[in-house]
Amino acid sequence: MQDAWSSREAWVYECLCCETTWDEVLEVRHFGDGHGNEAVIYERDGQPCTTPWTDCLCPKCQSRNVKAWAAARKAGELPPVRSGSDVAMVFHLRRIHAW
């Protein structure tokens, strides 16, 4: 059985040539095969597209020198701060290459 879910991601773009900024919201479809593998498809206006951080084109000057990053979350959407013991456990797991 195949797991599937979708989400929306907001991306902010900045042209490094003409300093134009714009944002886009993309539909992201995730497909899992039940064995731990996942495929992700990005859609813009219902059409499949490349990942948001590749192949960007400035709408003003047509430059490909564009920087993209995921839009910041709203203040109410921030995840809760982890306690010190959780952070220590993450560093321990990374040190032993378990995460």
Side-chain angles (χ1 to χ4, degrees):
M1 178 171 206
Q2 194 178 57
D3 296 328
W5 64 98
S6 62
S7 62
R8 291 184 170 275
E9 289 184 5
W11 287 82
V12 177
Y13 298 91
E14 179 182 12
C15 178
L16 301 176
C17 292
C18 68
E19 298 181 357
T20 300
T21 59
W22 68 98
D23 60 340
E24 293 181 3
V25 177
L26 301 173
E27 185 79 22
V28 185
R29 300 199 187 277
H30 304 265
F31 299 94
D33 65 357
H35 299 284
N37 301 315
E38 182 180 333
V40 179
I41 298 173
Y42 289 90
E43 292 181 354
R44 180 181 291 120
D45 299 325
Q47 297 295 320
C49 63
T50 60
T51 57
W53 56 89
T54 60
D55 201 27
C56 299
L57 186 67
C58 176
K60 185 176 179 182
C61 70
Q62 306 303 313
S63 171
R64 292 203 180 270
N65 194 7
V66 175
K67 181 179 180 182
W69 63 91
R73 298 180 184 191
K74 295 179 184 173
E77 296 179 1
L78 293 176
V81 177
R82 294 181 176 257
S83 68
S85 62
D86 288 346
V87 174
M89 177 60 75
V90 168
F91 283 116
H92 173 71
L93 291 172
R94 286 183 180 170
R95 190 169 36 255
I96 63 172
H97 302 289
W99 183 13

